[in-house]
């Protein structure tokens, strides 16, 4: 995983098709999130992975 400064992230997202996965809880997401991000709270990851297959 790579760390980005805000300007590096902006440039990266403009030139790459990436999935931005937000693992915070719903109440944190409701306060602020990137429009392109997908919410998947950390507590639900294993359940969600089981549903993919």
């Amino acid at each position: 995983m790579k760390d980005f400064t805000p300007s590096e992230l902006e440039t990266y997202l403009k030139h790459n098709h990436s999935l931005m996965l937000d693992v915070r809880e719903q109440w944190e997401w409701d306060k602020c999130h990137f429009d392109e991000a997908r919410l998947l709270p950390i507590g639900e990851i294993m359940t969600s992975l089981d549903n993919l297959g």
Side-chain angles (χ1 to χ4, degrees):
M1 185 162 64
K2 180 173 176 16
D3 291 331
F4 292 97
T5 65
S7 60
E8 289 172 335
L9 178 60
E10 181 180 29
T11 300
Y12 182 83
L13 292 175
K14 283 181 181 177
H15 296 97
N16 295 279
H17 299 285
S18 300
L19 170 64
M20 186 181 300
L21 187 60
D22 191 328
V23 296
R24 298 174 300 151
E25 295 300 321
Q26 182 70 53
W27 67 270
E28 295 168 301
W29 169 271
D30 292 341
K31 283 188 169 194
C32 179
H33 63 271
F34 288 101
D35 291 336
E36 301 84 12
R38 179 173 175 206
L39 177 65
L40 182 57
I42 195 81
E44 297 177 18
I45 288 180
M46 293 309 292
T47 301
S48 296
L49 288 175
D50 289 342
N51 291 334
L52 292 175

